[in-house]
Amino acid sequence: MDDPHFLNCDQEAIHLCGHVQDFGFLIVFDKFHRCICWSQNWQEISLPEHSIHKGLLLSTFINSLKLSHPIDLDQILRDNMEIFKHRYVADIQLQDGTHYLSIYPFDDKIFIEIEKHQSQSHQFKNIYHYAQHINNNKDIWKALAENIYTVTGYDRVMIYKFSKSGDGKVIAEHVSEGLEPLLGYHYPEFDIPQQARLLYTKIFARVTPDVDAKPIPVLGINPEKLDLSMTGIRAMSPIHLQYLRNAQVRASGSFSIVINGQLWGLVACQNRMPKTIDLAQRHLSVFIVQYAVNSFLANKQIAENNFKLKTKSIEFEIRQSLFSKQDLHQVIGNLTSSLIDILKADGMAFKYRGKWHMIGKTPNKDYIQQLENNLANRCKDELFWQSDFKWPQNDKEQWFHFPGIASIDLEHKLDFKIYFFREEVKIEEVWAGQPEKQLIYDPNKSANFPSPRTSFEAWKKTISGTAPKWKEWEIDFLKNLSFIIQEACLKKITEIQALNEKLVEINNVLETFSYTLSHDLKNPLAALQMTAQMIRDRAGLSQEFLTKAGKNMMEAILLMNNMLDKTVDFARTKSYDFEYEPVYPERFIQHIIDDCKVRYHIDKLEFQKGRILPIDGEKTLIYQLFLNLLGNAIKYSSNKGIPIIGLDSEDCGHAIVYKIYDNGIGISAEETERIFEIFHRLPNAVEFDGSGVGLSIVKRILERLNATITVESTLNEGTAFTIHFPKRSNTLKSAPAKNPYQN
């Protein structure tokens, strides 16, 4: 609130109240074990020998208690957990009888509480009875209320559950004779403000033995700043105490019901006369509450498992039917009764290929069409569920007769939609007084405070436009149903797409095959052509030259035949079948260089030759690889005054790494990612002959060899390719120079 004179109840710092209740004594020490705060009633507990004062040492105070069993303070204070169950509790004997001693570290301080025994401990002997009473009762919360009633002896014990909206409802109760039951009553959110709810998640038990008892001030250093969040005897808020008086309650107690770390509800105890719930009773009550919570969670898990078992058979039947190529309309149509039963729906409708099918109680087609249009505008997800659905109709918002809707929308994928409907259920809520907040002015603090409610008379409210809520496991079933339908139907679509892709692939293979042959056969054909022209045009050639020329021509023809065979195999399958063997590029590198010089009419070429190590691979593929890379290097450097081509390799342990570089036209940064695409040509390569196939062939060969390639290039300066050939054996050795085609 912007008004500085208004204090909302959820703004009240109830943990900084500076007071405790009169049934206990509090003393607080700092981290140096010196007393900093204590409650004013310290003399009433008959502490021997020493008075309480600022600076009193913790060890001195503990020694003054003359405990029958020594306390290991170091061990106690080492546990810095700030929740109820981790405090140290022991019985001590003082002059006026047996007391409880509680020690716990919190907020970098050491808190000690002392309170007198107020009840017998016989209830602890009945723990087995309390557990069995919960186990044998179908209504766990009713059994819990009865157990807490037995332990505390309070007139009324209610199990109060919070809703998602913040208010709450009494879901179970046990009351003494003569009291009006409050079972089913609702209470507004502001009856239990947020800061109080937060404290209930930290300390699980809160008691007020007497709402009219005068609170005891805390003395010492800045008591108004002392955080009493974990203090079991902390004084209650004056607003809360007045609230209890207005409800004709003289004593109260409450125990937290915490589930998965969230405050699920409270066990609220009320008594018409002052009555203490001492520490032993509080601890026992917290234990019983936690046992009930565990039983509740176990039963919930059993219910969920039973539901899942029931749905598994339906899911299996749908999956089996759809995967056996039955029509989706037929499969869903045959299982409508089972689906309606599992989801506890009143009816369902599904749309397939533009036609609606309705089963059970559903809106008419016009309403369903409105629903479909409405959801298309407000929901983009495949799943939708709501229990209070409504939308504007005829310019006026009206409640829909079927506010419970759950849907699966696969229109954009499969032309399929399915809706489950639950009819409206009108609910009459009974509230403990009309839930209205009123303000009163406190002249002492010059501020407005929320007035504690004075009326708790039953106030009824009718809730319409809602249907039973969809449970989490029902939504999970819808998700599985959506997945199964998509999986089965998309499988059919995938099969069709796979056939289309196979046709496209076959077409691409044929196209690549033709380009591969035309591209890679140019070099040996050029060599044949040159040799044939020399034999034709030059007279008087020596027999030695003719023999050598004929041998070279035969070797070129043999190479082309080999390339034709391997290229056909290569184009037929993605997994070209070959056996790895050591390949020695030294044997054909120079021949590739010489052929390319002839093909691109280069007289002067500087070939910077480094180490040429053997490679694990297949000889024809390796030959085609170097043919394309060296051929490109020479072609795209041919316009230089002196083309420079380099080749080097090194053994990197796990791989043989080759580097091929040139001083050619280079490649721009934005083009480097596309150079391996088939038929892609560089913008700066238009003056050179080519079809954009060579590097795509290189890429496919490297994939077959499980090798990798990277490129570094600068426009107008040159390009360098680095190839990593993985090793498959340790037997590679350098080979002596031989005939370039003798493989």
Side-chain angles (χ1 to χ4, degrees):
M1 300 291 293
D2 295 330
D3 185 354
H5 298 295
F6 175 82
L7 182 65
N8 203 356
C9 55
D10 59 8
Q11 295 174 304
E12 184 185 10
I14 58 177
H15 63 301
L16 302 176
C17 61
H19 289 76
V20 297
Q21 298 185 66
D22 66 351
F23 66 90
F25 160 76
L26 174 69
I27 183 169
V28 183
F29 297 84
D30 63 16
K31 61 182 178 181
F32 302 108
H33 294 196
R34 295 176 302 202
C35 177
I36 56 173
C37 289
W38 60 94
S39 59
Q40 193 179 52
N41 60 342
W42 65 273
Q43 292 176 324
E44 298 177 14
I45 63 169
S46 304
L47 291 174
E49 297 183 9
H50 291 280
S51 63
I52 305 300
H53 57 85
K54 185 174 66 174
L56 175 68
L57 292 178
L58 174 61
S59 58
T60 302
F61 176 76
I62 293 296
N63 291 335
S64 73
L65 299 179
K66 297 182 179 179
L67 303 177
S68 57
H69 299 287
I71 296 178
D72 187 349
L73 279 174
D74 291 336
Q75 178 63 35
I76 295 171
L77 301 179
R78 194 175 300 127
D79 182 5
N80 198 28
M81 300 295 291
E82 297 178 356
I83 55 177
F84 180 85
K85 64 182 179 180
H86 283 275
R87 64 180 59 199
Y88 171 83
V89 179
D91 287 342
I92 60 173
Q93 295 294 328
L94 299 178
Q95 294 177 8
D96 57 343
T98 306
H99 290 67
Y100 299 110
L101 171 71
S102 300
I103 306 176
Y104 54 95
F106 174 67
D107 194 28
D108 215 19
K109 301 175 183 65
I110 303 158
F111 287 71
I112 294 180
E113 296 178 44
I114 297 176
E115 57 180 284
K116 192 172 183 179
H117 277 221
Q118 300 287 344
S119 67
Q120 301 298 321
S121 60
H122 68 275
Q123 293 98 335
F124 285 96
K125 299 176 183 177
N126 297 324
I127 289 179
Y128 177 76
H129 164 77
Y130 299 131
Q132 285 300 101
H133 188 54
I134 291 173
N135 293 340
N136 297 332
N137 201 312
K138 291 183 179 179
D139 188 341
I140 289 175
W141 304 121
K142 173 65 174 174
L144 174 61
E146 292 168 349
N147 279 346
I148 301 301
Y149 177 87
T150 302
V151 172
T152 63
Y154 268 40
D155 295 329
R156 185 193 303 276
V157 177
M158 300 178 289
I159 308 301
Y160 181 81
K161 179 184 177 183
F162 293 110
S163 70
K164 289 184 178 180
S165 60
D167 56 14
K169 178 183 177 182
V170 179
I171 62 170
E173 181 185 41
H174 188 79
V175 296
S176 298
E177 186 176 350
L179 283 180
E180 179 184 354
L182 298 178
L183 181 63
Y185 273 46
H186 290 255
Y187 290 79
E189 179 180 8
F190 54 77
D191 273 14
I192 306 176
Q194 287 301 320
Q195 79 276 31
R197 299 183 191 216
L198 177 61
L199 286 181
Y200 277 124
T201 64
K202 294 182 177 181
I203 184 166
F204 296 167
R206 297 295 302 150
V207 293
T208 305
D210 186 352
V211 298
D212 294 323
K214 186 177 180 179
I216 306 300
V218 176
L219 309 176
I221 303 173
N222 298 324
E224 71 281 357
K225 296 182 179 180
L226 184 64
D227 189 342
L228 300 177
S229 295
M230 304 303 295
T231 302
I233 60 173
R234 174 177 57 82
M236 296 291 104
S237 160
I239 297 176
H240 178 64
L241 293 174
Q242 188 59 48
Y243 175 91
L244 294 174
R245 294 187 192 102
N246 293 347
Q248 299 181 358
V249 172
R250 293 291 304 279
S252 78
S254 46
F255 305 98
S256 307
I257 302 176
V258 177
I259 297 180
N260 297 327
Q262 302 295 318
L263 186 63
W264 185 91
L266 293 173
V267 180
C269 309
Q270 297 178 349
N271 207 61
R272 289 169 288 186
M273 298 299 293
K275 187 177 181 65
T276 299
I277 305 175
D278 82 349
L279 189 62
Q281 292 170 305
R282 302 200 299 269
H283 281 197
L284 176 58
S285 296
V286 169
F287 173 81
I288 295 172
V289 170
Q290 191 57 52
Y291 186 88
V293 166
N294 292 339
S295 298
F296 169 75
L297 291 176
N299 289 349
K300 182 180 178 183
Q301 188 63 55
I302 291 171
E304 290 181 12
N305 291 341
N306 289 338
F307 178 84
K308 289 178 181 178
L309 288 174
K310 188 176 180 181
T311 58
K312 284 299 180 185
S313 60
I314 297 294
E315 293 174 2
F316 176 78
E317 187 172 350
I318 293 174
R319 189 187 299 271
Q320 189 178 42
S321 300
L322 290 177
F323 274 77
S324 63
K325 304 188 186 305
Q326 290 189 32
D327 185 75
L328 178 58
H329 167 260
Q330 178 186 354
V331 173
I332 299 299
N334 292 340
L335 293 172
T336 53
S337 297
S338 298
L339 292 172
I340 290 174
D341 177 62
I342 284 175
L343 291 170
K344 293 182 172 57
D346 294 301
M348 65 176 284
F350 66 94
K351 177 185 178 183
Y352 186 52
R353 294 180 178 175
K355 186 176 180 180
W356 283 102
H357 307 270
M358 290 169 287
I359 303 92
K361 297 180 180 180
T362 69
N364 60 38
K365 287 187 179 180
D366 291 337
Y367 269 89
I368 293 178
Q369 190 60 53
Q370 290 184 52
L371 171 65
E372 184 177 8
N373 296 337
N374 186 276
L375 288 181
N377 295 328
R378 63 192 280 185
C379 179
K380 303 300 181 184
D381 297 328
E382 292 176 354
L383 289 178
F384 172 83
W385 62 92
Q386 193 170 324
S387 299
D388 55 355
F389 183 84
K390 59 182 178 179
W391 72 77
Q393 301 174 31
N394 301 323
D395 298 325
K396 182 179 179 181
E397 192 167 88
Q398 301 175 356
W399 289 109
F400 186 38
H401 184 57
F402 291 90
I405 297 174
S407 70
I408 301 172
D409 184 356
L410 303 177
E411 178 85 22
H412 59 294
K413 291 183 179 178
L414 306 173
D415 188 26
F416 176 78
K417 292 184 179 180
I418 184 170
Y419 292 93
F420 294 94
F421 297 100
R422 286 177 176 174
E423 287 187 293
E424 176 189 34
V425 178
K426 292 187 177 181
I427 302 172
E428 186 177 75
E429 293 182 348
V430 181
W431 289 74
Q434 189 169 355
E436 292 181 353
K437 185 185 293 187
Q438 297 180 350
L439 301 178
I440 58 174
Y441 180 74
D442 185 345
N444 295 324
K445 296 186 178 180
S446 299
N448 289 308
F449 288 84
S451 172
R453 288 199 294 123
T454 58
S455 173
F456 291 87
E457 293 182 4
W459 181 81
K460 295 182 180 180
K461 176 183 177 183
T462 301
I463 304 297
S464 58
T466 63
K469 293 184 178 180
W470 301 100
K471 294 183 172 62
E472 290 183 11
W473 55 80
E474 292 170 341
I475 301 305
D476 288 340
F477 172 68
L478 282 178
K479 293 177 181 178
N480 290 339
L481 182 62
S482 173
F483 175 77
I484 291 169
I485 293 172
Q486 290 187 73
E487 182 185 32
C489 295
L490 292 176
K491 181 175 182 291
K492 295 178 182 180
I493 295 174
T494 303
E495 290 173 353
I496 296 173
Q497 290 177 337
L499 289 174
N500 291 334
E501 290 172 1
K502 194 168 186 179
L503 290 174
V504 172
E505 182 183 358
I506 291 171
N507 183 63
N508 288 339
V509 165
L510 292 174
E511 199 168 15
T512 304
F513 171 64
S514 62
Y515 275 97
T516 300
L517 291 180
S518 65
H519 184 277
D520 288 356
L521 292 179
K522 285 182 179 179
N523 266 27
L525 282 173
L528 281 173
Q529 183 181 18
M530 182 186 68
T531 305
Q533 287 175 344
M534 290 179 62
I535 294 174
R536 184 193 65 186
D537 297 337
R538 293 185 183 182
L541 294 173
S542 67
Q543 185 62 39
E544 181 182 359
F545 177 83
L546 291 174
T547 301
K548 183 177 180 181
K551 184 178 180 182
N552 288 342
M553 292 175 68
M554 289 298 296
E555 289 172 347
I557 293 170
L558 180 64
L559 174 63
M560 287 191 293
N561 281 330
N562 196 19
M563 288 174 63
L564 282 170
D565 292 340
K566 296 297 174 65
T567 303
V568 169
D569 292 339
F570 181 58
R572 281 177 178 170
T573 176
K574 288 184 177 180
S575 55
Y576 173 58
D577 189 20
F578 62 86
E579 292 185 5
Y580 279 87
E581 60 179 331
V583 178
Y584 301 91
E586 180 83 31
R587 299 170 179 172
F588 51 72
I589 292 296
Q590 190 60 51
H591 196 84
I592 291 174
I593 299 292
D594 294 340
D595 286 350
C596 287
K597 286 171 63 178
V598 173
R599 180 178 175 183
Y600 298 115
H601 311 290
I602 298 175
D603 295 329
K604 296 180 180 180
L605 175 73
E606 181 179 335
F607 177 35
Q608 298 177 354
K609 179 181 176 183
R611 298 177 67 194
I612 303 181
L613 298 173
I615 303 165
D616 275 328
E618 197 278 331
K619 53 180 178 268
T620 304
L621 295 182
I622 297 294
Y623 176 84
Q624 286 182 279
L625 177 71
F626 280 98
L627 175 64
N628 280 288
L629 289 174
L630 289 171
N632 277 355
I634 293 172
K635 177 171 68 173
Y636 293 121
S637 303
S638 60
N639 60 353
K640 298 288 184 177
I642 300 179
I644 299 175
I645 308 300
L647 184 146
D648 196 8
S649 65
E650 62 176 324
D651 189 337
C652 293
H654 63 285
I656 300 296
V657 179
Y658 266 80
K659 187 171 184 178
I660 297 173
Y661 57 90
D662 61 63
N663 66 338
I665 61 175
I667 306 167
S668 65
E670 56 269 19
E671 288 288 331
T672 54
E673 294 184 0
R674 300 193 58 197
I675 59 174
F676 295 104
E677 295 178 10
I678 191 168
F679 310 130
H680 179 70
R681 300 213 66 204
L682 299 176
N684 59 339
V686 291
E687 63 179 282
F688 299 92
D689 292 335
S691 57
V693 175
L695 288 180
S696 68
I697 295 172
V698 167
K699 186 69 173 176
R700 292 190 68 187
I701 291 173
L702 291 172
E703 288 173 354
R704 302 304 185 274
L705 297 173
N706 293 318
T708 59
I709 187 170
T710 56
V711 59
E712 296 178 7
S713 186
T714 303
L715 277 176
N716 300 318
E717 294 185 13
T719 302
F721 289 94
T722 303
I723 309 103
H724 287 74
F725 296 97
K727 286 185 178 181
R728 287 181 169 267
S729 69
N730 296 320
T731 58
L732 295 178
K733 297 179 180 180
S734 299
K738 293 184 180 180
N739 187 297
Y741 290 119
Q742 187 177 349
N743 286 347

